[in-house]
Amino acid sequence: MLAKTNIIANDIDYYTNSNSNSIIYEITKNEVINYGKEINSRIIVVDEDGNVTIDSKEEFRGQEFEHKEINSALKGKNISNAYNFKEYGHLLYTSVPLIINGKIEGAVLTSTSIDNIFVRVNSIKNALYWISFLSVIFVAIISFILANIFSKPIQKFTNVILNMARGNLNQRVEIHSNDEFNQLANAFNIMSTKLDQVDIQRKDFVANVSHELRTPLSSIKLLSESLLHQDTVDEKVYKEFLSDIDSEIDRLNNIIDDLLSLVDLDKEKLNLNYKVTYINHLLEKIISRLKPISEEKNIELNYIEKAKIQLNIDKNKIQQAIINIIHNAIKYTHENGNVDVILYSDNKNAIIEIKDNGIGIPEKDLEHIFERFYRVDKARTRNTGGTGLGLSIANQIITLHQGNIEVKSEINKGTKFYIKLPLDNNVSLD
Ligand SMILES: Nc1ncnc2c1ncn2[C@@H]1O[C@H](COP(=O)(O)OP(=O)(O)O)[C@@H](O)[C@H]1O
Ligand SMILES: [Mg+2]
């Protein structure tokens, strides 16, 4: 409306002047009346004193017009206000100054009914109320449905978790939907299966440890009781029994040492003392340490070096692992046998091969020999003084170094262990 009012103000010219020529006045007046019809508004033009010079309804001509909007326009302002009158309804008053040759010579006021706009605004308002109302109901229904869909599986989960907390670790969640809940349930089931396994392993381990400790203890008890219950004992028998007791105590000590190193390994997982080390030197040292043991059985212990390899390792731990395996090779090989320790590399790993021509390991036992306390022949190993923990310790150490141990064996022909340790940046090969 401001733009339209300005257009009229621009069109009107000199006629506002009181002396103006009546023909020009008539032409201008008709123009204003026509334009008023065109834009559906009443148009009033006043002179600088506020006297009406043109009224498109031809009612107020010549009268002085006191009007808020016109007064503002006479002061040079464009202004527009909406009113709601009882008799006329909603009206929009728009007024602009009439500027001729840079001077305010009067003002133009347009008054337009905006009832139809209000009707439209009201119907939009009503529609909005309805839309909001229906949305609220719709959202409420959807939330109710979703809450049901989500809360059911969560309820299931909660029950299962509470059951697990009570110690029933073999719990599984059954959710057969096709969404994230299903994924979560699967992940949860994998975790609970794992927990269950760990729990079973722990119980087995405790049972095994108790059993292993009890055996030497019962021997000691038996030996000491039989000494106590005899009135007169030969000194030779005394000595013999005492030396048996002594070796059972050694056995207990070995078991406890091995158990402690297993516990340490569990604890120290992230705490290995890595140093760049020549595996060659380490092997030489180990061989010379084990030579006396092999010589007792007249076993030829050879070290064959096919490469010089540096690795970033915890030297003491790796030494313990290698000793355990070479020691086994000597232990499970007959007198006059051979044990070869060979160092080489494929391009990814340093490989330490320990090859014996001893008694071998039956196929069915191969997959178990790394388990804690597992021994192929319990009776025989008792004589050789093993704990059944050596390979388990070795395996854990090598695994901590990101390596692995492989084994090939043939009964009565011999066994080959391959300790593979990954070569890394710190490695030099020559
Ligand atoms: N070089 C080998 N030759 C034959 N059997 C072996 C050899 N190394 C390991 N074994 C078998 O694997 C079992 C587990 O070894 P280990 O964990 O070192 O326990 P142990 O204390 O009995 O030596 C041994 O009891 C033995 O039966
Ligand atoms: Mg052993």
Side-chain angles (χ1 to χ4, degrees):
M1 283 315 292
L2 268 174
K4 286 173 178 169
T5 313
N6 266 313
I7 290 172
I8 307 164
N10 281 336
D11 276 357
I12 297 171
D13 211 14
Y14 161 80
Y15 74 91
T16 39
N17 193 318
S18 47
N19 316 319
S20 66
N21 172 323
S22 68
I23 295 175
I24 294 175
Y25 171 77
E26 279 304 315
I27 293 171
T28 315
K29 188 188 85 183
N30 284 336
E31 206 177 286
V32 168
I33 291 171
N34 284 338
Y35 196 63
K37 279 183 192 149
E38 203 177 289
I39 64 170
N40 234 336
S41 308
R42 182 172 191 167
I43 302 174
I44 290 172
V45 183
V46 298
D47 65 14
E48 61 204 357
D49 302 320
N51 295 320
V52 177
T53 53
I54 303 176
D55 176 359
S56 64
K57 289 255 161 83
E58 301 199 78
E59 194 184 332
F60 296 137
R61 185 175 173 208
Q63 298 180 21
E64 195 178 323
F65 213 59
E66 257 307 311
H67 200 283
K68 187 180 148 204
E69 279 72 27
I70 285 181
N71 287 343
S72 295
L74 286 175
K75 284 178 193 141
K77 264 194 222 153
N78 287 348
I79 188 163
S80 174
N81 285 319
Y83 297 94
N84 188 6
F85 298 108
K86 267 212 177 106
E87 316 93 280
Y88 310 115
H90 294 279
L91 287 181
L92 179 71
Y93 288 153
T94 306
S95 190
V96 303
L98 191 57
I99 298 170
I100 295 167
N101 295 331
K103 239 185 96 200
I104 297 175
E105 296 281 5
V108 178
L109 171 81
T110 56
S111 148
T112 315
S113 165
I114 48 170
D115 269 341
N116 55 347
I117 294 179
F118 270 83
V119 169
R120 235 187 274 167
V121 166
N122 275 337
S123 72
I124 291 174
K125 255 192 203 162
N126 279 340
L128 276 179
Y129 286 142
W130 273 106
I131 290 172
S132 321
F133 179 67
L134 291 178
S135 311
V136 167
I137 290 182
F138 181 72
V139 167
I141 293 173
I142 294 284
S143 321
F144 184 74
I145 295 172
L146 285 183
N148 252 332
I149 291 177
F150 287 129
S151 72
K152 278 225 178 91
I154 288 177
Q155 196 71 46
K156 261 191 189 174
F157 255 114
T158 314
N159 288 338
V160 168
I161 290 170
L162 288 177
N163 264 335
M164 281 187 79
R166 285 185 208 109
N168 306 324
L169 293 181
N170 57 350
Q171 299 285 312
R172 302 292 176 268
V173 200
E174 302 275 335
I175 292 176
H176 301 292
S177 54
N178 215 350
D179 52 13
E180 284 84 354
F181 271 120
N182 191 15
Q183 289 173 18
L184 184 63
N186 287 339
F188 183 87
N189 288 341
I190 291 171
M191 181 197 73
S192 66
T193 310
K194 187 85 202 164
L195 268 179
D196 203 17
Q197 281 170 357
V198 169
D199 194 47
I200 291 171
Q201 274 172 14
R202 183 185 59 85
K203 286 178 183 151
D204 282 356
F205 184 63
V206 172
N208 280 335
V209 170
S210 321
H211 175 79
E212 294 300 320
L213 292 178
R214 178 164 295 149
T215 327
L217 278 176
S218 344
S219 305
I220 293 171
K221 177 88 180 150
L222 204 77
L223 288 163
S224 57
E225 265 178 357
S226 53
L227 279 182
L228 278 174
H229 292 303
Q230 284 177 32
D231 292 335
T232 49
V233 190
D234 215 49
E235 199 188 315
K236 243 175 86 186
V237 178
Y238 243 123
K239 279 249 167 83
E240 197 190 314
F241 275 33
L242 278 178
S243 105
D244 283 351
I245 289 176
D246 188 55
S247 57
E248 289 298 335
I249 290 173
D250 282 346
R251 206 175 130 61
L252 272 177
N253 265 333
N254 285 340
I255 294 176
I256 288 168
D257 282 348
D258 279 356
L259 281 174
L260 286 179
S261 29
L262 271 177
V263 173
D264 276 353
L265 284 176
D266 281 342
K267 250 190 346 213
E268 283 175 15
K269 256 177 197 164
L270 303 168
N271 247 342
L272 287 184
N273 185 15
Y274 285 103
K275 271 208 184 87
V276 177
T277 312
Y278 265 110
I279 283 285
N280 309 63
H281 301 333
L282 194 65
L283 283 175
E284 277 163 23
K285 213 173 95 187
I286 293 170
I287 299 283
S288 67
R289 249 184 79 175
L290 291 175
K291 266 267 156 68
I293 302 176
S294 69
E295 276 162 7
E296 267 176 32
K297 287 178 82 180
N298 202 20
I299 287 173
E300 203 178 309
L301 177 59
N302 298 311
Y303 171 41
I304 302 157
E305 181 183 278
K306 294 191 174 165
K308 286 212 185 307
I309 302 172
Q310 266 188 326
L311 288 181
N312 193 20
I313 51 171
D314 184 319
K315 201 163 123 185
N316 291 332
K317 295 271 173 347
I318 290 288
Q319 170 166 318
Q320 188 184 1
I322 299 173
I323 286 181
N324 283 355
I325 291 174
I326 302 182
H327 201 186
N328 280 346
I330 298 170
K331 213 158 60 171
Y332 301 110
T333 298
H334 302 293
E335 298 211 345
N336 308 318
N338 273 308
V339 173
D340 292 339
V341 177
I342 312 159
L343 172 67
Y344 54 96
S345 88
D346 60 11
N347 285 318
K348 286 185 196 141
N349 300 292
I351 301 172
I352 303 156
E353 180 181 332
I354 294 126
K355 186 172 111 184
D356 65 53
N357 58 355
I359 60 173
I361 303 168
E363 173 111 35
K364 67 171 172 46
D365 295 298
L366 270 181
E367 56 177 321
H368 297 295
I369 55 171
F370 293 101
E371 290 168 14
R372 294 171 175 190
F373 297 114
Y374 194 88
R375 283 171 303 203
V376 174
D377 177 348
K378 309 230 167 200
R380 186 193 63 214
T381 323
R382 183 113 314 139
N383 300 332
T384 47
T387 62
L389 292 170
L391 281 182
S392 163
I393 292 171
N395 194 38
Q396 195 153 349
I397 292 172
I398 301 301
T399 309
L400 282 181
H401 284 78
Q402 326 300 331
N404 69 307
I405 305 179
E406 285 165 24
V407 53
K408 286 184 191 152
S409 188
E410 243 181 287
I411 279 277
N412 292 327
K413 289 218 165 133
T415 306
K416 291 177 189 165
F417 277 88
Y418 301 88
I419 303 175
K420 297 193 174 179
L421 288 165
L423 303 169
D424 62 15
N425 308 339
N426 297 316
V427 168
S428 77
L429 273 175
D430 17 81

